[in-house]
Amino acid sequence: MQNPNTLTDSSELSIGIELGSTRIKTVAIDAQFNTLATGSFEWENQNIDGYWTYSVNDIWVGLQKSYQDMANNLKQDFNVTVRKINSLGISAMMHGYLAFDKHEDLLVPFRTWRNNHTVEAAKRLRTQFNYNIPERWSIAHLYQAVIDKESHVNEVNYITTLAGYIHWYLTGEKVLGIGDASGMFPVDVDRKMYRTDLLEEADLLLNKEGFHKSVIDVLPQIKVAGENAGYLTDEGARLLDPDGNLESGCVLCPPEGDAGTGMVSTNAITPRSGNISAGTSAFAMIVLEKSLSHVYPEVDIVATPSSNEVAMIHTNNCTSEINAWMNLFEEVLNSMGVTFSSDELYGQILKTSENSNDDLGGLLSYGYVSGENITKVEVGYPMFIREPNNKFTLANFMKTQLFSAFSTLKIGMDLLKDNEDIAINKLIAHGGIFKTEKIAQEVLSAAMNAPITVMNHASEGGAWGISVLAKYVTAHDDITLSQYLDEFVFANVDETTLEPTLQAVENFDAYIEKTTKGLPIERQISDYMEGGEDARKIKTRSI
């Protein structure tokens, strides 16, 4: 067995890269799934002409810098240069819209999952399909562009997700993992393909609006976990590593979305398992034993990387507002000459929340940087409200921010639990917010009114998950992904489970009641504020 403290060459490394909404992370694991080196690149989306986007230049520069950071760290720690590797995997934010013409040129800037201008298209598709089509899904973006008679739609030859785009440029293969594909168009998990009946319905709808290509012809080919999804080309190796050290030829796993890699990194891919990912957005993934009895606009139906049906509660907002306040606190402390690390800042300030009052001092927060489908908020405005005669303390303020981060997720999960016969054996959480021990985990357990488990690699998240999927492609035994994870990856997992207290659950329920009552304020604030291009675009549609 490889000692994780030693490494002689890079040939056994599997590398995973995930492009999240605020960070691009690269992870290199050895044959025993130990993380040997990581790299990262911080980036931010921009609202340009009313659309949340990242430039193509930022995508590739960020990818290269994250990879280079990992390679430099590996060189520093092991004196090994990354050359030949075992396997590679690409993951990224699910959903969104990247459209290309027949010359493989990008037609419009990348439209991310954060855009919610596709309300009309999603509503029509949902009605026609009798199947929930969220505003984030790629088919909603395409259909909305067609409805709006955007000039580029007649040139659309191929659409894909961010992970699919990068994988295509690294391998030449227009493929997508079934988990990510299920956020483009509904899939049949038994047949491991797009729903043919709904493809026909989609063609009829789009044809009526003047789009005459078949939807299936512009979508990526579906692959499932364990399948060979192509090999790194010479051009792809140079795109990833301009220094020229990385050799071409390694196998790639199917590119996946961050929801799928979250399921893998928490070993939550079998029925009755679930995981919660907390970052810029948040989502709860519950692997179903049977299909839901009704269609809910608040619940996405997607797939695990190995093709099991999943109920997904997705919120557009989670920790962004916490990050904004931490940046402000950092400015204050810097102005006073206080030095500290990011982990110290988050750790110490989040820990103050342990001294909060049960009623949070009457504070209320909506961390809505963008709109939110579950609570029917079209345009997001972060908003903090306090009752002037109550206890405005740092402890109450930080606990309020944590409650706010998980409030919308709780509203969606309660809807699912109240209306469907859902069984969950284990609920596992992951994301950077859980690096500070117990604080966010305790809040989330109160929100879900259920035990929450956090694994020791919780902050590694999807980049580690996609590196495991990359490694799985090279497994020579005839073994399912579930068996592979149970028997090899998580055989000796280190984890912590916290149960909610009755008082904590009551406190969160009271906060949700207050949040729900205050939602009309959040919904109407855009009527009194300028709101930028995103708000004006939505208002124009509603006139």
Side-chain angles (χ1 to χ4, degrees):
M1 179 177 287
Q2 169 85 41
N3 183 335
N5 297 313
T6 63
L7 185 71
T8 55
D9 63 59
S10 62
S11 60
E12 286 194 348
L13 293 180
S14 292
I15 295 175
I17 306 175
E18 181 158 286
L19 292 90
S21 47
T22 59
R23 181 174 63 159
I24 302 173
K25 185 168 185 178
T26 303
V27 168
I29 63 172
D30 63 14
Q32 285 72 47
F33 315 102
N34 300 301
T35 299
L36 299 188
T38 66
S40 66
F41 177 80
E42 305 293 326
W43 69 342
E44 284 290 345
N45 53 189
Q46 296 176 294
N47 194 299
I48 299 175
D49 296 328
Y51 294 97
W52 291 102
T53 188
Y54 300 86
S55 73
V56 170
N57 183 66
D58 286 347
I59 291 170
W60 288 106
V61 168
L63 193 75
Q64 291 168 356
K65 287 186 178 297
S66 176
Y67 174 87
Q68 184 180 52
D69 188 28
M70 178 279 299
N72 289 342
N73 288 332
L74 194 79
K75 179 70 173 178
Q76 178 178 317
D77 292 343
F78 298 96
N79 195 30
V80 169
T81 299
V82 182
R83 300 189 187 280
K84 181 180 180 181
I85 62 173
N86 177 68
S87 53
L88 176 66
I90 301 296
S91 173
M93 300 167 274
M94 284 183 74
H95 317 117
Y97 182 70
L98 280 154
F100 300 86
D101 64 16
K102 64 181 180 181
H103 304 295
E104 301 184 349
D105 292 326
L106 187 64
L107 291 167
V108 291
F110 170 37
R111 297 175 180 176
T112 78
W113 57 270
R114 198 170 213 168
N115 293 288
N116 62 346
H117 66 283
T118 59
V119 173
E120 180 61 27
K123 180 180 178 181
R124 292 192 198 180
L125 289 165
R126 190 180 302 123
T127 300
Q128 184 72 22
F129 290 0
N130 191 31
Y131 188 99
N132 185 33
I133 303 296
E135 286 84 354
R136 302 177 306 277
W137 282 25
S138 305
I139 185 60
H141 280 270
L142 174 62
Y143 188 29
Q144 190 68 57
V146 171
I147 292 171
D148 292 342
K149 309 298 181 187
E150 292 194 39
S151 59
H152 78 274
V153 294
N154 290 328
E155 298 180 68
V156 171
N157 188 65
Y158 179 57
I159 64 173
T160 189
T161 64
L162 181 56
Y165 161 63
I166 294 167
H167 181 95
W168 171 29
Y169 271 57
L170 296 182
T171 65
E173 301 290 338
K174 293 181 178 179
V175 300
L176 203 59
I178 192 165
D180 206 7
S182 68
M184 294 192 74
F185 193 91
V187 299
D188 182 328
V189 293
D190 294 324
R191 301 174 67 193
K192 300 178 176 59
M193 59 190 294
Y194 299 111
R195 289 264 306 261
T196 54
D197 57 332
L198 299 186
L199 284 168
E200 293 175 2
E201 297 284 354
D203 285 345
L204 289 174
L205 284 177
L206 271 72
N207 189 269
K208 288 179 182 178
E209 297 289 342
F211 185 81
H212 299 294
K213 292 185 178 69
S214 292
V215 172
I216 188 63
D217 292 337
V218 301
L219 290 172
Q221 178 187 352
I222 286 179
K223 295 274 188 177
V224 296
E227 290 188 326
N228 181 322
Y231 297 92
L232 184 66
T233 64
D234 290 341
E235 181 183 11
R238 298 296 80 78
L239 277 171
L240 193 55
D241 178 21
D243 290 341
N245 293 316
L246 180 62
E247 297 178 13
S248 60
C250 75
V251 66
L252 273 80
C253 66
E256 268 298 350
D258 49 0
T261 57
M263 287 186 272
V264 171
S265 66
T266 55
N267 194 18
I269 66 163
T270 55
R272 299 172 71 98
S273 65
N275 83 92
I276 294 175
S277 174
T280 301
S281 63
F283 40 82
M285 313 291 292
I286 311 301
V287 186
L288 300 174
E289 292 182 286
K290 59 182 180 180
S291 297
L292 300 183
S293 61
H294 294 89
V295 175
Y296 304 95
E298 301 86 355
V299 183
D300 302 12
I301 300 299
V302 292
T304 69
S306 52
S307 200
N308 284 98
E309 197 168 49
V310 177
M312 177 183 186
I313 306 293
H314 183 283
T315 70
N316 288 343
N317 304 278
C318 185
T319 61
S320 291
E321 188 66 355
I322 293 176
N323 294 336
W325 283 107
M326 289 296 184
N327 289 337
L328 182 65
F329 296 151
E330 182 179 10
E331 276 193 59
V332 172
L333 293 170
N334 284 337
S335 72
M336 299 174 67
V338 180
T339 59
F340 47 84
S341 69
S342 177
D343 286 348
E344 288 173 327
L345 175 70
Y346 276 79
Q348 292 303 314
I349 293 181
L350 287 175
K351 284 178 182 176
T352 65
S353 67
E354 292 180 308
N355 298 315
S356 62
N357 298 107
D358 288 342
D359 66 352
L360 307 185
L363 309 184
L364 179 63
S365 176
Y366 296 93
Y368 286 2
V369 176
S370 60
E372 198 64 76
N373 174 57
I374 289 175
T375 49
K376 299 177 175 58
V377 173
E378 288 190 333
V379 182
Y381 278 88
M383 184 167 61
F384 170 67
I385 306 169
R386 69 185 181 94
E387 297 176 19
N389 297 321
N390 231 315
K391 297 179 180 179
F392 184 29
T393 66
L394 181 61
N396 284 334
F397 179 80
M398 288 315 303
K399 182 63 75 68
T400 299
Q401 295 302 321
L402 287 165
F403 273 34
S404 176
F406 296 120
S407 290
T408 308
L409 188 68
K410 175 180 174 56
I411 292 169
M413 280 292 288
D414 283 352
L415 178 146
L416 190 61
K417 290 190 290 186
D418 291 345
N419 291 279
E420 295 286 340
D421 182 19
I422 299 294
I424 307 171
N425 291 339
K426 195 173 188 179
L427 199 52
I428 305 170
H430 66 110
I433 194 69
F434 300 107
K435 288 179 73 174
T436 302
E437 285 187 14
K438 297 185 178 180
I439 303 299
Q441 187 179 3
E442 287 179 344
V443 171
L444 185 58
S445 70
M448 299 293 106
N449 192 13
I452 297 292
T453 298
V454 171
M455 295 178 172
N456 60 347
H457 60 270
S459 61
E460 297 290 3
W464 185 82
I466 193 66
S467 69
V468 170
L469 286 174
K471 180 68 178 171
Y472 176 55
V473 175
T474 64
H476 300 297
D477 298 325
D478 184 15
I479 186 171
T480 67
L481 178 60
S482 177
Q483 292 171 325
Y484 188 73
L485 295 178
D486 286 341
E487 296 174 17
F488 297 100
V489 183
F490 293 98
N492 299 298
V493 66
D494 182 15
E495 62 185 28
T496 302
T497 300
L498 294 181
E499 298 263 359
T501 66
L502 178 60
Q503 185 64 58
V505 172
E506 289 177 352
N507 293 348
F508 209 107
D509 286 345
Y511 184 81
I512 288 296
E513 184 177 352
K514 188 171 185 176
T515 297
T516 303
K517 287 180 179 178
L519 276 170
I521 306 171
E522 177 69 27
R523 292 179 185 133
Q524 295 172 28
I525 194 170
S526 62
D527 293 338
Y528 305 99
M529 304 288 285
E530 187 173 336
E533 289 296 325
D534 196 32
R536 288 194 288 273
K537 184 183 287 287
I538 290 172
K539 288 177 185 177
T540 300
R541 289 190 195 287
S542 63
I543 294 173

